[in-house]
Amino acid sequence: MSQSIDNIGKISKLEYFVMFLAICISGNPLFIYAETKFLYVVMVILLFVMCAMRGKALINKHFRSWALGSILLFVLQYVFVELTSIAADINFLARLYIAFLTASFLGYKFRETYLRVMILICAVSLVFFSINITTGIEFGIVVDRYYSILLYNSILGGTRNSGMFWEPGAFQGFIMLVPLLFSNQLKQLWKKHKSGCVILLIALLTTQSTTGYIAFASFFFLTILVNGKISNMLKGVLLSISVIGFIYMWTQDFMGEKITEQYEHAQNMQKGEISWDRLSVMYIDFYNIKRHPFIGNGFMDEARYGIWGEYMRGAGNGFTGAMNMFGIPFMFLFFISLFRNLSYVPITNRLIFIFIVVLLLNGEYFLNYPLFWSLLFVKIPKNEIDSSIINRS
């Protein structure tokens, strides 16, 4: 394995296992479609015991604020929203606690562990995806609409790489977390993990995800323009190249035509009309957010979308969908808290981080699962952090 960027010492098998499990319950169909209501409860108990045995924090002020704030929100929803679910509220609190306990257990090893696990997942996906598209052979057991071998899923009849996640758009989001987590050390990331970075990039390309391509291009061009020690002329050239590249991608059928059709559809939607594409769902979400803009409409589909609730299951814009669930202030606080937790990077980099997360959420419901919530609690080493501090964490 490549040398670590962070001076964190050896990553144990148990730490790899915890990270892998956190990723699985945040996007692997074998877990998220499991016929059990106790998956998150079991995960909470498991992580709680492991953190207690390792002397890790079981709660802190930051998590307590989020937990109490969430409970207050759910009480207000119970009073003012027509249909609520106490079970769904408890389920969310369990996911939030999993996010905290995962970050607590891994400490400063979080991002390095995540990087290495994602490189493995991407490498496995490229092997089986190549076999799948060249031979038509499917691997594993049938789960919902997938063939799955845990580390790799193929959607029945699909021609894009989903990795071990529920769809290609989800896979790209988990890949994009890598450069986001290393946004203060991108040069070191490339220097120490060249082969891993290439694997991640190829895997991202095979998703053929519109959101993934836009997020990837936006992140790197914005990062170069903001942080690159280059002349204004060269920055202008890079900006011109990015604009030309974006126009080119827009003109390709799988990107430009898709976005244009969704935009036109959203513009022409009639009141009460239903659609699953992301721009149209954004329009539907905004229509329903107006009913309870400050406290949201909760987790029940019928509460969020009225009589069309059962038809909107699986539809998604994860950004406006989260506002529909939690309300605008709650999501505003999420991004404020995320911004404050990124104290290891300059303000401009934090804004880029937030912008990319918003882009990713527009593609998928990542906030339905624990891993993206862990961004609120994760510890990221600074460039010159003292190794003794890391090793005590």
Side-chain angles (χ1 to χ4, degrees):
M1 181 65 71
S2 300
Q3 183 180 352
S4 170
I5 294 177
D6 306 319
N7 187 15
I8 57 174
K10 184 179 179 180
I11 300 173
S12 69
K13 293 180 180 178
L14 183 59
E15 287 164 335
Y16 280 123
F17 173 74
V18 167
M19 177 56 74
F20 180 69
L21 198 56
I23 294 172
C24 283
I25 67 169
S26 297
N28 189 287
L30 287 175
F31 287 77
I32 63 177
Y33 295 135
E35 291 297 326
T36 174
K37 297 179 180 179
F38 305 106
L39 175 64
Y40 294 122
V41 175
V42 171
M43 185 67 175
V44 164
I45 295 172
L46 183 64
L47 283 171
F48 186 91
V49 171
M50 288 192 293
C51 284
M53 292 177 64
R54 288 285 185 95
K56 304 291 184 178
L58 300 176
I59 195 170
N60 66 11
K61 182 179 179 180
H62 189 36
F63 172 75
R64 189 184 299 114
S65 297
W66 270 98
L68 292 176
S70 299
I71 292 171
L72 175 60
L73 175 67
F74 298 149
V75 170
L76 291 173
Q77 289 179 346
Y78 184 79
V79 174
F80 295 104
V81 177
E82 297 78 8
L83 185 63
T84 59
S85 169
I86 295 177
D89 295 341
I90 294 173
N91 188 276
F92 171 77
L93 291 172
R95 283 177 277 163
L96 188 65
Y97 198 31
I98 289 169
F100 170 76
L101 289 175
T102 300
S104 176
F105 184 81
L106 292 168
Y108 285 105
K109 295 182 180 181
F110 186 98
R111 73 172 183 179
E112 184 78 27
T113 309
Y114 183 78
L115 165 67
R116 297 185 181 196
V117 172
M118 282 305 301
I119 289 173
L120 173 63
I121 291 170
C122 288
V124 171
S125 80
L126 290 175
V127 172
F128 286 97
F129 177 69
S130 299
I131 297 172
N132 182 232
I133 62 173
T134 55
T135 68
I137 297 174
E138 306 280 4
F139 299 92
I141 61 174
V142 176
V143 180
D144 197 67
R145 60 193 179 107
Y146 310 90
Y147 278 102
S148 178
I149 56 170
L150 182 63
L151 279 171
Y152 176 73
N153 303 308
S154 57
I155 298 177
L156 305 180
T159 58
R160 298 162 59 195
N161 189 1
S162 300
M164 61 173 278
F165 303 96
W166 71 84
E167 70 170 31
F171 190 17
Q172 65 79 21
F174 285 90
I175 295 172
M176 280 300 303
L177 273 187
V178 173
L180 287 176
L181 288 170
F182 286 92
S183 60
N184 67 325
Q185 288 185 291
L186 289 174
K187 289 183 179 179
Q188 294 93 322
L189 174 65
W190 173 252
K191 181 179 179 180
K192 300 288 179 64
H193 294 276
K194 285 189 179 69
S195 58
C197 290
V198 171
I199 290 171
L200 291 169
L201 178 57
I202 295 174
L204 178 66
L205 293 174
T206 59
T207 66
Q208 299 181 44
S209 167
T210 305
T211 303
Y213 288 2
I214 293 174
F216 177 81
S218 299
F219 174 77
F220 279 97
F221 278 111
L222 286 173
T223 300
I224 291 172
L225 290 172
V226 168
N227 302 301
K229 296 179 180 179
I230 54 180
S231 66
N232 290 332
M233 180 180 292
L234 184 53
K235 286 185 178 182
V237 171
L238 289 174
L239 183 59
S240 299
I241 292 174
S242 67
V243 171
I244 293 171
F246 183 78
I247 293 173
Y248 171 76
M249 288 190 295
W250 187 279
T251 61
Q252 302 307 297
D253 288 345
F254 75 95
M255 286 192 66
E257 190 173 312
K258 176 181 176 181
I259 295 173
T260 302
E261 287 179 357
Q262 289 187 11
Y263 176 76
E264 291 176 349
H265 188 193
Q267 289 289 95
N268 296 319
M269 284 184 68
Q270 302 298 314
K271 184 177 179 180
E273 186 179 350
I274 296 171
S275 174
W276 275 31
D277 69 63
R278 290 178 179 91
L279 291 181
S280 297
V281 171
M282 180 186 292
Y283 174 87
I284 296 171
D285 277 327
F286 280 134
Y287 177 80
N288 287 281
I289 287 168
K290 288 188 293 184
R291 290 189 286 118
H292 297 104
F294 297 107
I295 62 171
N297 293 304
F299 296 107
M300 304 296 287
D301 293 322
E302 292 78 7
R304 285 186 287 144
Y305 299 110
I307 61 175
W308 300 284
E310 66 174 299
Y311 302 105
M312 294 299 293
R313 290 170 189 163
N317 181 302
F319 178 59
T320 56
M323 284 194 289
N324 195 353
M325 287 182 192
F326 302 111
I328 296 172
F330 193 89
M331 288 306 299
F332 180 75
L333 290 174
F334 170 80
F335 289 111
I336 290 294
S337 183
L338 184 56
F339 182 87
R340 293 181 64 184
N341 196 45
L342 299 171
S343 58
Y344 64 97
V345 295
I347 290 178
T348 51
N349 292 70
R350 296 190 224 179
L351 293 174
I352 293 172
F353 192 110
I354 299 296
F355 175 68
I356 300 303
V357 170
V358 170
L359 282 181
L360 296 177
L361 291 180
N362 270 277
E364 299 289 345
Y365 269 90
F366 290 116
L367 291 182
N368 276 356
Y369 306 105
L371 194 69
F372 270 67
W373 285 102
S374 68
L375 296 176
L376 296 176
F377 312 110
V378 65
K379 296 178 180 179
I380 304 294
K382 297 178 182 178
N383 290 331
E384 301 297 333
I385 194 163
D386 180 68
S387 61
S388 63
I389 295 176
I390 296 178
N391 291 324
R392 288 200 304 268
S393 298

